[in-house]
Each structure stands twice: as C-alpha cells, then as structure tokens.
Amino acid sequence: MPRPARTALVLQGGGALGAYELGAARRLYKDEPFAPDIIAGVSIGAITAVLLARPAPGLKPLDALEAFWQKITVSGLFLPPPLRPYASVLGNPNFFVPRLDYYALPIWTNIYDTEPLRQTLSQLVDLKALADPKATPGLLESATDVEAGQIQYFYSGEKGLSLDHIIASGSLPPSFPMTVIGDKTYWDGGLFDNTPLGAVLDKLDTSKGADLTIYVVNLFPNRAPIPRNMQEVTARTQNLQFANRTLEDVKMLRRIDEVAALMEALENLPEGNPLKNNPAYQAVAERHYVRVPRIISITRPEQVLGFGGSDFSPDTIEQRADEGYKQTERALQA
C-alpha cells in the first residue's frame, strides 16, 4: 500500500524552457534519496514529470530526462549561428514535425504533428507502470477540455495513465493538435492553470502533524519591470498568462487553516464537540482539510522573450539547465 503523500514536485509548462526543469532535477536528484510522493506537471512539465516518475526499465529518473533532452536538441548546424535558435520552426525530429497536407490548409487546427513525441516517450517511459494505478510515485497531469472550457486533472492513483494523457497536457494550440481521450478533446493544461498546485494539495496526507513539503519549479516569473514598448507589453502579457498562482493558493489555504483550527478546537472541548452530529459540521469534516505545507519555489528570474519558448538549440538548453541547477541550489539553501 502506498505511503501517505507528504512531499510533491510541481512542474510548470513552457516548451523549451523546460530545460530549466532539467537543471532543477539534476540538483534535486543529486541528494539521495530524493523521492517525492507525487510528481505533477503541465505541458513540458508533464513530460518532465512522467520521465521522472515512470522511467523505462533500466533507466533512473534523471537518466530518462537527460536522454529526452538529448533527443529533442536541435543543433541547426545548417543555419548561420544567429539563426540557430530558430531552427525548430522547421521542426524537431524527435518532438514535432510540420504538417505536409497543405491541400487541407483551410481546415487546419494545428501546424505541427506530434507523433514523433509519442515515439520518443514510448522509448523512455515505462508504459506498463504508467498504466498501473498502484505504481509510485503518484503522477498528476492536467489538460484543458476544449469544449467544456474547464481544466481536467488526471491522477495515476485513480485509473492509471497513458501517453495520451501526457500528450494532451502539452497540446498547445495552434502549434500542436488537440488530443482525444474517450469522448473528450483536450488542449494544453497551461491554458487554464500552468501550476497544478491546488490539485496536488487535494492528494496530500491529511493526518494531524503531517510534515508536508512541495517543491514548485516556475518557468515564468511573477515579477517583472513595467513594459516600455509594445514588444515588452507582448512579452509581459505572455508571461502573466502562464505565471505561478501559488500566492493565491496559499491565501486560500490560510483561510482553510482557520477552519481546521476551529474544528480542532471543537473536538478538544472538555464537554465534547456539540456540533459533531450537525450535518454541516460533518460535511466539512469529510473534506479532511490540510494545513499549509512548506512550499519551496524555484523560479526562473527572467521573463520569456519572443521565440524563447521554442529555442531548442544546444547552447540555450544547457544555459537554462545550468540556471535551473543554480537557482535550485539557492532555493534549497534558503
């Protein structure tokens, strides 16, 4: 039986910015054993999560993640050096490739085909373990229900997952196609919520005295200078769309803490809890509210500019991984 979930790793989406998560993982997994009870992610964060949580047989979590980034690096050696960061416009052979059915252009809903991503993940992920609801650690992904306009969370401990769930989480329009699972159609989970912290909180241990810690890796910083031109306005808007809402989640948790404290006080009354049979009290008690956990935020300090989320060039990937490692080191020390 899986142990109660007390630690979690939460990973944002952001395309090629996910190399920062590679660096963060290098530092986190340097300390043995780093073994979160739940790993949650959106988009590229969902890919990072599944590689860390369900590496293929013979691979350690970090090995699978390193192999993925080696496969999706685009050298662009055929281009002049200033243009190499833009090489992935022409496709990424192990991630996405341009559509060729130009005759159907009027009814296109996406530009690239992501079948290469499915093939890459099938080599690096333990598909049998991915489908097993008893496998650990818990794996949580999210996607946006296109028709309903609502976020949908997929948790491995309920029915198990498939590569469809991972790919759905990263189906960012208009670049990538919608993903169909059952009778639902999904886009990227980051369109609705790029930091699935709230869903993770619902899975954590609710027992009294539980020491809860959540590591949150943010690819988009919340703070940034006031924009001074239209280019900076565009960048700021994009960053705010995918930025972390952790502070709002924590504010809500503080309110829930007050409810939990009140319920505890009622339970500890010398003459007994006068509301124990009250339906309203029982309904609240069944929710098993958790205390505010320790949240360790690891955040890229710079905004994403222009084509940054699509730059899979070797130098940029290693630069971001190095940045993620150093920022994680600072966060752990703090």
Side-chain angles (χ1 to χ4, degrees):
M1 184 175 181
R3 65 178 182 176
R6 298 188 176 184
T7 60
L9 174 62
V10 178
L11 303 155
Q12 280 193 336
L17 302 174
Y20 182 90
E21 295 172 345
L22 168 62
R26 285 174 177 171
R27 176 59 189 87
L28 291 171
Y29 282 84
K30 177 182 177 181
D31 293 336
E32 295 287 348
F34 178 74
D37 301 309
I38 298 174
I39 305 180
V42 181
S43 199
I44 194 67
I47 293 172
T48 302
V50 74
L51 292 167
L52 293 176
R54 303 288 186 270
L59 292 178
K60 294 181 179 179
L62 193 56
D63 294 336
L65 187 59
E66 295 276 10
F68 175 77
W69 281 97
Q70 290 171 9
K71 285 178 174 291
I72 65 169
T73 298
V74 179
S75 66
L77 293 177
F78 54 90
L79 294 172
L83 297 180
R84 288 174 186 171
Y86 305 94
S88 62
V89 169
L90 304 175
N92 185 320
N94 291 307
F95 199 148
F96 53 87
V97 291
R99 293 181 60 169
L100 300 177
D101 55 338
Y102 298 112
Y103 60 87
L105 187 59
I107 57 171
W108 276 17
T109 57
N110 58 283
I111 301 169
Y112 298 99
D113 176 13
T114 53
E115 181 59 27
L117 173 61
R118 184 181 295 274
Q119 297 301 321
T120 298
L121 291 179
S122 67
Q123 299 168 23
L124 299 174
V125 172
D126 186 336
L127 301 181
K128 183 177 180 180
L130 181 61
D132 183 0
K134 296 181 181 179
T136 58
L139 181 61
L140 189 148
E141 319 284 356
S142 67
T144 300
D145 184 323
V146 179
E147 187 174 14
Q150 296 292 331
I151 194 73
Q152 177 69 51
Y153 296 104
F154 303 105
Y155 183 56
S156 64
E158 295 170 354
K159 296 182 180 179
L161 302 178
S162 69
L163 286 184
D164 285 338
H165 296 98
I166 311 304
I167 293 171
S169 185
S171 297
L172 183 66
S175 294
F176 300 153
M178 293 174 269
T179 300
V180 178
I181 301 176
D183 61 351
K184 303 285 187 180
T185 302
Y186 296 100
W187 267 335
D188 192 296
L191 294 174
F192 204 94
D193 182 2
N194 204 33
T195 316
L197 179 60
V200 168
L201 292 171
D202 290 338
K203 305 299 181 185
L204 290 178
D205 185 5
T206 59
S207 61
K208 293 181 180 179
D211 186 16
L212 309 177
T213 301
I214 303 178
Y215 301 83
V216 182
V217 182
N218 303 302
L219 302 181
F220 298 86
N222 289 77
R223 295 188 63 84
I226 300 294
R228 296 167 297 179
N229 54 52
M230 289 304 296
Q231 183 179 6
E232 292 181 2
V233 167
T234 301
R236 185 68 177 133
T237 302
Q238 178 193 20
N239 280 263
L240 287 173
Q241 179 182 359
F242 295 107
N244 191 329
R245 273 90 171 163
T246 298
L247 289 177
E248 294 305 312
D249 286 325
V250 171
K251 286 179 183 177
M252 180 60 70
L253 275 174
R254 299 288 183 199
R255 296 172 189 165
I256 292 173
D257 253 4
E258 295 170 357
V259 175
L262 175 60
M263 295 182 68
E264 186 174 335
L266 287 170
E267 291 290 343
N268 292 330
L269 287 174
E271 63 275 15
N273 179 6
L275 298 177
K276 65 180 181 180
N277 295 321
N278 184 288
Y281 178 87
Q282 292 174 346
V284 174
E286 288 177 1
R287 292 185 178 273
H288 301 291
Y289 287 121
V290 300
R291 297 285 186 170
V292 177
R294 178 190 306 111
I295 296 178
I296 300 175
S297 291
I298 303 162
T299 306
R300 286 187 67 252
E302 303 296 331
Q303 288 195 105
V304 184
L305 303 176
F307 197 72
S310 301
D311 183 357
F312 289 89
S313 61
D315 290 345
T316 299
I317 285 176
E318 199 50 48
Q319 176 186 348
R320 288 173 177 160
D322 183 62
E323 183 182 35
Y325 186 99
K326 291 177 179 177
Q327 291 288 342
T328 303
E329 177 69 39
R330 295 189 188 102
L332 294 177
Q333 289 179 356

